[in-house]
Amino acid sequence: MKDILKKMLLTAFITAAVLTSISANGTNESTESIQKQYAISFVDDEGNQINLDESCKRVIALYSAHVENIYFLGAGNQMIGGYTSAIYPPEALEKANYTYRGDAESIIAADPDCVLIRPFITSKAPQFIEQIKMAGIPVVSLYPDTFEDFPIYIEKLASLLGKEDQAEVLLKQFYENLDEIHDVTSKIEDKQTVFFESTDANVRTVSPSSMPAKAIEIAGGINIASDAQPMVEGSSIASYGVENVILNADNIDVYISQVGAMNAGGNIITVSQRPGFDTIKAIKSGRFYNLSEKLISSPTFRYYKGVREIARYLYPDVMDDVESYMNSDLCDKATFADIIMKMNHLPLYSPTSSKYYTKTILGHKYGFFEDVKWNDEDFDAIESAVYSGLSPFTTVGEKEYYYPEELVTRDMLASTLYLMSDFEKMDRIHNINDLGNCSVPRIVQKIVDHNILTLDEDGNFNPKQIVTEQEVIDAMKLVLKTK
Amino acid sequence: MKKTIKLVALLSLLIFGATSCSTTNIDEAKGNTMEEVRPVILVVSFGTSYNSTRDKTIGAIERKIDEAYGDEYDVRRAFTSQFIINKLASRDNLIIDNVEEALQRCIDDGVTTLVVQPTHVMAGSEDDDMVQTVKQYADKFEHLSIGTPLLTTPQNYRDAVKILTDVTHSYDDGDTSIVYMGHGTQHPGNITYANLQTYVDEAGFGDRYFIGTVEATPTLEDMINKAEESGNDRVVLRPFMIVAGDHANNDMAGDEAGSWKTEFKKAGFDVECIIEGLGEIPAIQDMFVSKTSEAIAAL
């Protein structure tokens, strides 16, 4: 598996070489164009020869994965419009929205120098695409049919944008991330079995060649529906059915249900209420998870995060190990978020529709912290911890701050610990001298009475005292024992 | 033994599948024939995609009405939420009429006497839309009567207060605030929640029973402030909605930021959630039977 990267890059190299060769031989080109050297030249995924003199600066991308990858490549400023359902990264929502279901004139009027689509759009709206082409605007259709095609797709996209160097770095990192996950999960002997629900209608799963199926493989899981047949040839959706799930009820360790706009499985309530589904091992043991299709079924650089999520569902103790934090370092809020996420096995928070950006949850809007950006290393842990309600943040006017470098106090820790579990109601035991200095005295009283955090020799809680990373972990372990 | 469980599960699945394809006339099993052209009580609900909850709430209300009037009337179901109707059709092959379809079905069946009883809590936009739709068909029936939502008359409010306090009596221990979470609406009918709080206050429960809404006023913040003022250390949360669906499970009892449970806990309260819709309470079901009775009397 170390070789995911090598294999992919080799395939990409050979394909690129072949494409270059085809282009150079000018199979569909006039003699004049053969002689002309283009800065950008490749065959897109509908077989169209793409020749451009310079990289694109005014792109409209009509597929959410294109939008996401453009931003990852650092070319967000070369995009003037995105697809209506593109919801990541958060700043992409600031761009104008376009859809192939709308009027081509609005796109033509925006004067893009390239319209990025995928073959699905051409089959759905051929006249729409023809109109754009007739206006003299280059239309480029890209879509990787398989996981193996991902690097080829990214390289074509990068060449359109003049971001080849960035693509090389990102692809290397992408496959290293996947290798890192596989290195860990491949060493686990007791493999977990998983059922992946892609739609709740007829309880469909995914085909063996799909990206989610590949993700289960990399995450070290055994796909109980590995023999499921695609609904139609080439489809990632496969038939499976209620009967097959129930017949395998005793063997399904983990149940993953995809959520999103395109394909959505059920949630824990709707799945468990299906007749017979309460007999499924994963349902009985509470190992049911919803996973965003954007993370697992979409050809983006975030795919490895979806793979890592599946690995976390399958092997939580291994994947969420906090051993590296068992030290006397003072705990800052960024680390605090990561510890919260791992200790509580919180699912990675990722919006599945644009409504998450319009919905403010008590002062916070996903991706809108002034001091935490979507491409920061700690972004996912911070958003996940905040959305779980376990980590505090600050609102100043209309702006939101997380303050990732701020150090965690005992006061702050007490609130998080209290939210992690439902504590039994009990009479007051301890007399806390400085209770009046605590931000929420009731919480501190309960945390102390339940012996999660202790008082000093003088009977003080010391709410402003900074805690170490190990102290955070030790206290959380005590709370988790009460659950 | 495990095989037996699976067989039972598969059998129930087959039975479920077969029944889910039936029409929305819950009187079919009685063997009534179309020739009789019995009068109809159409029970109109918002709907829910949570099957077990639906049976315990909307289904229970319909059964109570059927028990009371089934000898004389066909009792039929309609939902107002097309989203839920579509979801149930595609997911469970369960076909449920919207209001217009149900009315048209009555017309096609030759029904001349129709009683429409909503299971709405209040006269909000859902109820307005339903009434408007039914009135468009008024000339198609010889006798037509539309029942009222749960909270309409002063006596309805008094009855509701008694029921809300009775069913939570065991929690009312002197150190507990009991907070009901209603839906809330931008419709002027949102005043219903404030009215209910007034009746709660009048009945002497105002220092510990609070009525809030998830989407309008009184807000969650209002509820936290009231709980703070009460001086009680514990909060019991319960939905003030016919069905305990998404709002009850997520907005009220969810573990995420912004849920009522989380926000009350952040304020330091002990929090307990009761995830039961109003429709599960027999006395509330009886109120809808009474309302149906009133609607029949108005024919």
Side-chain angles (χ1 to χ4, degrees), chain A residues 237-269:
Chain A
I237 307 297
S239 304
Y240 198 65
V242 173
E243 294 86 350
N244 280 325
V245 175
I246 292 175
L247 286 171
N248 284 300
D250 294 339
N251 303 320
I252 299 173
D253 297 311
V254 172
Y255 198 114
I256 300 174
S257 181
Q258 181 171 253
V259 290
M262 290 292 282
N263 295 295
N267 59 35
I268 181 59
I269 295 172

Side-chain angles (χ1 to χ4, degrees), chain A residues 45-118:
Chain A
D45 292 334
E46 291 185 41
N48 302 311
Q49 177 65 45
I50 305 300
N51 290 326
L52 297 170
D53 286 323
E54 57 181 11
S55 56
C56 303
K57 301 289 190 296
R58 295 179 56 81
V59 175
I60 289 178
L62 296 179
Y63 176 40
S64 60
H66 292 334
V67 172
E68 205 173 309
N69 290 323
I70 286 170
Y71 273 91
F72 268 98
L73 289 166
N77 59 352
Q78 291 167 241
M79 197 183 86
I80 60 167
Y83 185 46
T84 45
S85 75
I87 57 169
Y88 192 89
E91 62 196 71
L93 274 80
E94 293 166 7
K95 300 283 182 178
N97 277 337
Y98 297 96
T99 172
Y100 59 87
R101 297 186 187 91
D103 182 5
E105 286 300 327
S106 64
I107 289 182
I108 295 165
D111 192 27
D113 57 7
C114 172
V115 174
L116 261 175
I117 62 166
R118 56 174 171 155

Side-chain angles (χ1 to χ4, degrees), chain B residues 5-52:
Chain B
I5 291 170
K6 280 181 196 167
L7 277 173
V8 171
L10 276 172
L11 191 60
S12 64
L13 173 75
L14 289 170
I15 294 167
F16 175 78
T19 55
S20 68
C21 294
S22 66
T23 71
T24 53
N25 185 339
I26 66 171
D27 250 14
E28 275 195 343
K30 295 180 179 175
N32 298 318
T33 60
M34 283 182 58
E35 288 79 28
E36 293 172 20
V37 194
R38 284 153 45 92
V40 166
I41 298 171
L42 180 64
V43 183
V44 178
S45 306
F46 179 78
T48 175
S49 62
Y50 289 5
N51 295 337
S52 56

Side-chain angles (χ1 to χ4, degrees), chain B residues 213-245:
Chain B
T213 70
V214 66
E215 291 190 356
T217 56
T219 63
L220 167 59
E221 287 75 14
D222 296 332
M223 295 297 100
I224 292 174
N225 289 337
K226 286 204 167 201
E228 292 280 7
E229 288 166 14
S230 75
N232 296 331
D233 204 32
R234 183 170 72 146
V235 169
V236 168
L237 300 174
R238 184 167 178 149
F240 185 67
M241 301 174 187
I242 297 299
V243 171

Side-chain angles (χ1 to χ4, degrees), chain A residues 88-324:
Chain A
Y88 192 89
E91 62 196 71
L93 274 80
E94 293 166 7
K95 300 283 182 178
N97 277 337
Y98 297 96
T99 172
Y100 59 87
R101 297 186 187 91
D103 182 5
E105 286 300 327
S106 64
I107 289 182
I108 295 165
D111 192 27
D113 57 7
C114 172
V115 174
L116 261 175
I117 62 166
R118 56 174 171 155
F120 170 84
I121 295 175
T122 303
S123 67
K124 283 284 179 190
Q127 289 181 331
F128 174 89
I129 298 302
E130 198 53 38
Q131 264 185 282
I132 296 171
K133 285 182 177 174
M134 292 285 284
I137 298 168
V139 175
V140 180
S141 183
L142 298 176
Y143 186 77
D145 278 326
T146 65
F147 174 72
E148 285 71 21
D149 292 336
F150 181 66
I152 303 166
Y153 153 62
I154 290 297
E155 285 175 359
K156 288 179 184 175
L157 184 64
S159 77
L160 273 179
L161 301 161
K163 295 289 182 183
E164 293 89 339
D165 292 347
Q166 183 72 354
E168 190 179 342
V169 171
L170 286 171
L171 282 170
K172 183 169 180 292
Q173 186 62 51
F174 177 78
Y175 289 109
E176 282 175 0
N177 288 334
L178 291 176
D179 280 341
E180 192 179 314
I181 297 164
H182 190 259
D183 279 352
V184 174
T185 57
S186 62
K187 294 186 180 77
I188 296 169
E189 290 182 2
D190 182 19
K191 297 293 185 198
Q192 297 281 285
T193 300
V194 59
F195 175 69
F196 190 99
E197 178 174 314
S198 59
T199 72
D200 63 351
N202 302 314
V203 188
R204 296 188 179 109
T205 187
V206 286
S207 58
S209 62
S210 66
M211 293 182 73
K214 187 76 185 174
I216 293 169
E217 183 189 326
I218 299 171
I222 299 168
N223 183 0
I224 199 111
S226 58
D227 58 346
Q229 296 301 308
M231 298 289 292
V232 292
E233 192 181 344
S235 171
S236 62
I237 307 297
S239 304
Y240 198 65
V242 173
E243 294 86 350
N244 280 325
V245 175
I246 292 175
L247 286 171
N248 284 300
D250 294 339
N251 303 320
I252 299 173
D253 297 311
V254 172
Y255 198 114
I256 300 174
S257 181
Q258 181 171 253
V259 290
M262 290 292 282
N263 295 295
N267 59 35
I268 181 59
I269 295 172
T270 58
V271 168
S272 57
Q273 74 185 5
R274 291 178 192 148
F277 272 50
D278 55 353
T279 67
I280 296 169
K281 188 178 171 186
I283 304 292
K284 286 194 287 188
S285 60
R287 299 183 70 189
F288 174 94
Y289 302 93
N290 278 123
L291 182 57
S292 166
E293 65 178 359
K294 300 282 186 191
L295 291 176
I296 204 66
S297 292
S298 196
T300 71
F301 285 109
R302 280 199 299 166
Y303 173 71
Y304 83 88
K305 295 184 181 184
V307 175
R308 193 170 58 197
E309 278 301 282
I310 293 180
R312 292 179 69 223
Y313 305 157
L314 296 171
Y315 311 109
D317 292 339
V318 176
M319 295 303 296
D320 286 342
D321 182 35
V322 290
E323 188 64 33
S324 62

Side-chain angles (χ1 to χ4, degrees), chain A residues 200-202 242-243 246-250 267 269-270 273-277 279 359 361-362 386-391 393 415 418-426 440 442-443 446, chain B residues 2 5-6 9-10 12-14 16 49-53 87 90-92 173 175 220-221 228 232-234 246 249 251 255-258 261-263 265-271:
Chain A
D200 63 351
N202 302 314
V242 173
E243 294 86 350
I246 292 175
L247 286 171
N248 284 300
D250 294 339
N267 59 35
I269 295 172
T270 58
Q273 74 185 5
R274 291 178 192 148
F277 272 50
T279 67
K359 185 178 175 186
I361 294 189
L362 292 186
V386 166
Y387 265 84
S388 73
L390 295 177
S391 189
F393 62 93
S415 288
Y418 184 64
L419 289 165
M420 280 174 54
S421 183
D422 293 325
F423 292 93
E424 290 287 322
K425 184 172 165 55
M426 64 193 298
V440 188
R442 261 198 301 251
I443 287 179
K446 286 168 187 167
Chain B
K2 280 177 181 169
I5 291 170
K6 280 181 196 167
L10 276 172
S12 64
L13 173 75
L14 289 170
F16 175 78
S49 62
Y50 289 5
N51 295 337
S52 56
T53 311
K87 187 168 185 177
S90 66
R91 189 189 70 191
D92 299 338
D173 58 4
D175 191 30
L220 167 59
E221 287 75 14
E228 292 280 7
N232 296 331
D233 204 32
R234 183 170 72 146
D246 269 332
N249 282 282
D251 295 321
D255 286 326
E256 297 76 29
K261 178 185 173 185
T262 298
E263 297 309 317
K265 283 194 75 176
K266 274 187 185 173
F269 293 100
D270 288 320
V271 182

